[in-house]
Amino acid sequence: MTAPAPDLFTWEFAADPYPAYAWLREHEPVRRTRLPSGVEAWLVTRYGDAKQALADPRLSKNSAHHDEPAHAKGKTGIPGERKAELMTHLLNIDPPDHTRLRRLVSKAFTPRRVAEFAPRVRELTDRLIDGFAERGEADLIHEFAFPLPIYAICDLLGVPPEDQDDFRDWAGMMIRHGGGPRGGVARSVKKMRGYLAELIHRKREALPAEAGPGEDLISGLIRASDHGEHLTENEAAAMAFILLFAGFETTVNLIGNGTYALLTHPGQRARLQESLAAGERGLLETGVEELLRYDGPVELATWRFATEPVAIGGQHIAPGDPVLVVLAAADRDPERFAEPDTLDLARRDNQHLGYGHGIHYCLGAPLARLEGQTALAGLLTRLPDLRLAVDESELRWRGGLIMRGLRTLPVEFTPTGR
């Protein structure tokens, strides 16, 4: 007898969604579901179907294609982005605008540019660990995983150091209200929009005639808009906003989920520590990819909307219907990954979908990988006996649809000097 369909989007589901996703993959791999917001969407859970959907040009990122009923108005994006005129960013647009904007921003995330940024990420990692190493305890989300990518992306964008704590506060509001009152997120988005407009104006006034080495990203966006690339101020602000928004929470969750997975898999963690102690990087690199697959930071890919009839996994999806690709389910598909529920840091055949696929593949993936590798190496090397300070059952996962991350991660360790 088939087990009954699991309940989705409960607190129990948030703690461990993988058994429910296994049921869906087997019994209803493409399922129409009413979400907590009231919006109805198709959930795609098998790897092959997911990869097809992520690359299908008939599935638009533009919510103008959503055949939305009145009760679903404005519930498919980031709260407040529509009112704040921040819709024209890479998560919401299709080619040719997507192609043009992505080309402009991709210069900031080349392997060379990211490699040049590595010393700054190591410096931030060490500084944050210094802040709690002597205490012997910490909340790794709020004291480490959260501030590290915020300060890194602020540096990359060109947010002055004296303003970065404001960004940290606004970003914190976005995370804290991930499944709660929408008003708090919208207010933070509005404040961020006002600040970005002012910063773009200030930078435009002071922009030198020629770009210097390592020019910050906002200056580069302004230069593009002033030199024939036709980037409007709204587009520049929206691009800066989404790079911050998409560039920090994914990495918060990569570091948090990754550390938690290592703390609950002592054999794998010991292998990685031995490898790091021997000065090797190979296991760290494959390990971060495996952590992205095993319990990645993005549970569902961002919204897509059918522009014409589409067939996925034998289901016929009507024009205007929303489609959500469940990356967390696809990345544990036994048809694609051997022993998918096993954490294996040395896994080689690992073409996970943690950063998406196709033209919307995560632009900031090289930076996120650098931050994840640097953060985990720093923690395991400097705090070798790091351990959970509470029972696993006491940990809580943030509510919300797209991202997957812990609210807190209390740890303890032998206090160390700087």
Side-chain angles (χ1 to χ4, degrees):
M1 188 173 122
T2 303
D7 289 329
L8 304 179
F9 310 117
T10 64
W11 287 111
E12 292 78 14
F13 169 84
D16 183 11
Y18 296 103
Y21 289 149
W23 189 96
L24 288 176
R25 275 195 313 266
E26 185 175 351
H27 300 288
E28 290 188 63
V30 181
R31 181 194 198 189
R32 191 172 173 90
T33 304
R34 182 177 288 275
L35 306 173
S37 64
V39 177
E40 289 198 0
W42 293 94
L43 300 183
V44 179
T45 51
R46 286 182 181 166
Y47 183 90
D49 295 336
K51 203 167 178 183
Q52 173 204 329
L54 290 171
D56 194 326
R58 297 170 299 174
L59 297 178
S60 169
K61 300 292 291 171
N62 188 340
S63 61
H65 293 289
H66 185 194
D67 186 17
E68 55 186 341
H71 72 272
K73 290 285 183 193
K75 292 185 177 178
T76 60
I78 299 166
E81 65 178 355
R82 199 180 303 244
K83 279 187 180 173
E85 298 183 345
L86 288 171
M87 294 291 287
T88 52
H89 58 65
L90 291 174
L91 295 186
N92 286 342
I93 56 175
D94 304 314
D97 284 339
H98 177 270
T99 312
R100 174 176 64 93
L101 293 179
R102 188 178 175 103
R103 186 179 67 247
L104 290 177
V105 184
S106 63
K107 298 165 189 168
F109 297 102
T110 61
R112 179 180 162 194
R113 186 80 187 267
V114 170
E116 288 171 353
F117 202 55
R120 175 61 175 152
V121 175
R122 284 195 296 272
E123 179 190 325
L124 285 168
T125 298
D126 282 333
R127 190 182 86 201
L128 291 167
I129 295 174
D130 286 346
F132 54 76
E134 294 175 343
R135 283 208 324 264
E137 61 176 14
D139 172 9
L140 284 186
I141 300 299
H142 293 285
E143 296 182 73
F144 185 66
F146 174 66
L148 175 60
I150 278 287
Y151 292 136
I153 200 72
C154 279
D155 282 354
L156 204 64
L157 285 170
V159 176
E162 62 271 20
D163 295 341
Q164 293 186 4
D165 283 336
D166 286 337
F167 262 75
R168 182 176 172 169
D169 290 345
W170 298 328
M173 182 67 72
M174 289 176 182
I175 279 194
R176 282 194 294 277
H177 290 267
R182 295 175 73 84
V185 184
R187 280 194 297 276
S188 293
V189 169
K190 187 177 179 182
K191 287 178 183 174
M192 200 175 283
R193 171 68 175 95
Y195 174 80
L196 286 170
E198 181 190 329
L199 182 62
I200 288 168
H201 179 73
R202 289 205 320 256
K203 284 184 178 286
R204 178 171 271 134
E205 296 284 302
L207 199 67
E210 297 294 328
E215 180 175 71
D216 68 72
L217 186 50
I218 289 179
S219 295
L221 291 172
I222 295 166
R223 198 177 294 284
S225 67
D226 289 343
H227 289 77
E229 290 277 10
H230 311 300
L231 192 71
T232 69
E233 188 162 297
N234 268 357
E235 285 176 333
M239 288 297 299
F241 164 73
I242 202 58
L243 289 168
L244 181 87
F245 190 87
F248 87 89
E249 192 171 0
T250 50
T251 310
V252 175
N253 296 347
L254 168 57
I255 296 169
N257 299 4
T259 303
Y260 173 59
L262 291 173
L263 294 180
T264 51
H265 293 80
Q268 291 291 307
R269 175 253 190 92
R271 285 180 65 193
L272 182 53
Q273 283 181 300
E274 288 166 15
S275 171
L276 291 169
E280 298 165 0
R281 296 276 305 178
L283 192 63
L284 178 65
E285 290 170 2
T286 60
V288 165
E289 298 310 305
E290 175 69 344
L291 293 168
L292 284 161
R293 181 201 69 81
Y294 180 78
D295 197 11
V298 184
E299 192 165 342
L300 284 76
T302 49
W303 295 85
R304 284 165 168 77
F305 308 93
T307 58
E308 58 183 86
V310 180
I312 304 176
Q315 291 285 0
H316 295 284
I317 294 166
D321 278 2
V323 175
L324 288 167
V325 176
V326 188
L327 305 178
D331 279 343
R332 294 226 193 169
D333 188 341
E335 292 292 313
R336 177 59 186 83
F337 300 99
E339 298 184 50
D341 296 321
T342 298
L343 181 70
D344 176 9
L345 298 184
R347 189 184 294 268
R348 291 286 175 184
D349 181 16
N350 196 0
Q351 292 186 339
H352 63 78
L353 300 176
Y355 285 126
H357 173 67
I359 64 167
H360 291 282
Y361 181 83
C362 177
L363 192 64
L367 178 61
R369 286 187 168 102
L370 168 68
E371 291 172 337
Q373 290 172 14
T374 307
L376 292 172
L379 286 173
L380 294 178
T381 302
R382 293 191 55 187
L383 309 173
D385 64 346
L386 190 71
R387 57 197 176 271
L388 280 174
V390 297
D391 189 81
E392 287 178 56
S393 63
E394 294 181 46
L395 295 174
R396 293 291 176 266
W397 296 79
R398 287 195 301 276
L401 191 64
I402 303 296
M403 300 291 186
R404 173 163 173 78
L406 288 160
R407 290 174 182 265
T408 60
L409 185 57
V411 295
E412 52 193 15
F413 45 87
T414 301
T416 66
R418 298 193 176 196

